[in-house]
């Protein structure tokens, strides 16, 4: 079991992003709701979130859920394959 809050923090740590959240869609996302992020069905709610540096979103591969991110502004950072 996991929450979007935990998975988001993991991705933010990996990206080195310590800037605050500036927007979330939907605005009433329950960051603390537990769901089974393991293989199978998708249980996490869809969302997009922005910090001053990055945009975050759900990523799934065969039902395994996690958070992915890309730079918020143009940069020389390449995007890894998402979903694999």
């Amino acid at each position: 079991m996991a929450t979007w809050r935990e998975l988001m923090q993991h991705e933010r740590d990996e990206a080195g992003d310590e800037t605050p959240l500036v927007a979330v869609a939907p605005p009433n996302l329950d960051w603390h709701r537990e769901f089974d992020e393991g293989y199978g069905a998708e249980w996490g709610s869809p969302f997009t979130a922005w910090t001053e540096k990055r945009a975050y979103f759900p990523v799934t591969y065969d039902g395994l859920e996690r958070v992915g991110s890309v730079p918020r502004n143009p940069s020389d950072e390449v995007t890894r394959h998402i979903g694999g």
Side-chain angles (χ1 to χ4, degrees), residues 6-34:
E6 295 166 341
L7 298 174
M8 174 80 148
Q9 188 60 56
H10 175 76
E11 178 64 16
R12 291 186 66 172
D13 290 345
E14 290 289 313
D17 183 3
E18 297 179 2
T19 63
L21 282 175
V22 296
V24 177
N28 61 346
L29 178 69
D30 183 357
W31 290 98
H32 301 285
R33 184 179 69 81
E34 286 190 336

Side-chain angles (χ1 to χ4, degrees), residues 8 21 23-27 29 31 45-50 54-58:
M8 174 80 148
L21 282 175
V24 177
L29 178 69
W31 290 98
S45 301
F47 74 91
T48 308
W50 296 266
R54 302 187 73 76
Y56 295 88
F57 45 85

